[in-house]
Amino acid sequence: DAAAFARLVELHEGMVVNLSARLLGDPEEARDVAQEVFLQVYRMLGRFEGRSSLKTWIYRIAVNQCHNRRRFWHRRRRDREEALDEGLLVERASGTREGTNASPYEAARQGERARRVQSALLQLSFEHRSVLVLREVEGLTCEEVAAALGVPEGTVKSRLSRAREAMRVRLRDLVEEGATP
């Protein structure tokens, strides 16, 4: 049913694009991956077994597509390039947009904080980054993250702990700056 599939895309497209942007660090690539994800969802929807929620199944496809894209980049040395549209990613990650009531100083400060967080996130291994984004940004439970990644729940908890610690170390000065009045 074309209308039902259009509704499915409408409901989950933002989630897939945001997840892909955070995992890949490039909004344009994220949009490309989102298209691939929904093509794969369309082709495989008849094989969806319902062992997890549809949302978790789509997350799993999205993470796998991002992982495949990262491996593709790595083989072609593209992983060392910077995204041209980094400002858009930072804007989305920080939640700052034109027209908000924040002062220019506060907007710049939030933008810089978001850039540093995104940079630290992109320094993590793909496995740690995907667990952290799915749990902390997307709000999935550890059980849902395990289902989305196809790993045991204990592995999710271990990776999550290591990812949090790595982010804490990379952003220590940012956290300390926020703690002082």
Side-chain angles (χ1 to χ4, degrees), residues 2 4 15 23 26 30 57 66 89 93 96 128 144 156 158 161 163 177:
M15 166 198 77
L23 292 178
D26 184 337
W57 184 66
C66 289
L89 179 64
T96 59
H128 289 142
E144 291 171 323
V156 168
S158 173
S161 175
E177 172 187 305

Side-chain angles (χ1 to χ4, degrees), residues 13-24:
E13 183 178 29
M15 166 198 77
V16 170
V17 171
N18 288 333
L19 173 65
S20 301
R22 290 184 189 280
L23 292 178
L24 298 173

Side-chain angles (χ1 to χ4, degrees), residues 166-180:
M167 289 293 285
R168 194 174 295 118
V169 167
R170 286 180 173 86
L171 299 171
R172 180 170 285 137
D173 60 328
L174 189 63
V175 172
E176 291 169 357
E177 172 187 305
T180 57

Side-chain angles (χ1 to χ4, degrees), residues 97-166:
R97 289 187 177 88
E98 290 182 29
T100 61
N101 293 332
S103 70
Y105 170 76
E106 192 58 35
R109 192 167 151 217
Q110 287 175 349
E112 178 58 26
R113 188 175 299 136
R115 269 189 290 283
R116 294 202 39 216
V117 169
Q118 183 64 25
S119 175
L121 189 61
L122 291 173
Q123 291 174 24
L124 297 177
S125 71
F126 188 82
E127 289 78 17
H128 289 142
R129 184 179 338 139
S130 57
V131 167
L132 191 66
V133 169
L134 289 171
R135 177 70 180 105
E136 301 299 340
V137 177
E138 298 297 328
L140 272 64
T141 65
C142 287
E143 183 180 349
E144 291 171 323
V145 173
L149 298 177
V151 298
E153 194 172 340
T155 301
V156 168
K157 291 177 180 179
S158 173
R159 288 179 183 173
L160 185 58
S161 175
R162 288 187 182 117
R164 285 176 176 159
E165 182 58 30

